[in-house]
Amino acid sequence: SRSTFYRCFSDKFDIVNWSYKRFKNIRLQDRDKYYSFETSLRAQLEHLRENRAFYVATLRFRGQNSLYDSIVDTNEEYMLECWHHAHACDPTFDQLVAIRFSAAGCSYAIEQWLISGCAVDAYDVVSAICKCIPSDILETLY
């Protein structure tokens, strides 16, 4: 019912963000299956490509609860979780900035790849993204 929906979600965009984050969390739980960040990112790209029409339509919206902002936040949370798992401490300010920059850049690259029709092979997209992430952060990602 309507009241049940609004008890769980603030609006229709919130459910889209929840579904993306749920997919991302399932990936984190199955990290041993993916072997590496690169394999995991390719799985994410394939999921987005398979559901391209849905994700492109939802990415058009900008504002409160936008999917793009949720993707950036989810990627930042993921990178911070990986950092904490690898180092058991908080990143320095410089490392935190690099993590946030990497999360935002990765998210933007994925969004543009998706909007432009996924013309570039997922392996090439993953390779380009990995070259942009600082090595001390990339080494912690899984």
Side-chain angles (χ1 to χ4, degrees):
S1 72
R2 186 178 195 88
S3 63
T4 302
F5 176 84
Y6 284 107
R7 203 172 320 131
C8 298
F9 302 101
S10 58
D11 58 27
K12 64 184 178 183
F13 300 106
D14 197 25
I15 196 166
V16 171
N17 298 339
W18 172 82
S19 68
Y20 175 80
K21 192 167 187 169
R22 184 170 179 266
F23 168 75
K24 187 87 170 185
N25 286 339
I26 290 168
R27 275 188 341 121
L28 287 175
Q29 292 168 0
D30 296 334
R31 65 178 166 244
D32 296 335
K33 171 181 163 186
Y34 295 106
Y35 305 109
S36 70
F37 170 69
E38 292 85 352
T39 306
S40 176
L41 185 55
R42 276 194 303 278
Q44 179 184 357
L45 293 177
E46 291 306 321
H47 170 77
L48 293 170
R49 182 193 317 238
E50 290 167 8
N51 299 284
R52 183 178 173 273
F54 171 76
Y55 283 111
V56 168
T58 56
L59 282 167
R60 288 188 186 120
F61 172 75
R62 291 287 204 248
Q64 184 178 356
N65 283 337
S66 73
L67 177 60
Y68 179 75
D69 289 346
S70 181
I71 291 173
V72 173
D73 292 345
T74 301
N75 284 336
E76 183 177 329
E77 289 170 13
Y78 159 73
M79 289 181 176
L80 282 170
E81 180 182 333
C82 292
W83 181 272
H84 286 120
H85 185 261
H87 298 289
C89 67
D90 290 333
T92 65
F93 177 75
D94 288 350
Q95 292 163 334
L96 182 60
V97 168
I99 288 169
R100 289 179 174 159
F101 192 82
S102 297
C106 180
S107 302
Y108 184 76
I110 291 169
E111 177 199 39
Q112 293 304 305
W113 173 76
L114 196 60
I115 289 172
S116 68
C118 307
V120 177
D121 185 74
Y123 283 89
D124 295 332
V125 174
V126 170
S127 177
I129 287 173
C130 288
K131 289 176 187 173
C132 296
I133 298 174
S135 61
D136 61 330
I137 294 167
L138 186 61
E139 291 168 0
T140 68
L141 303 179
Y142 47 78

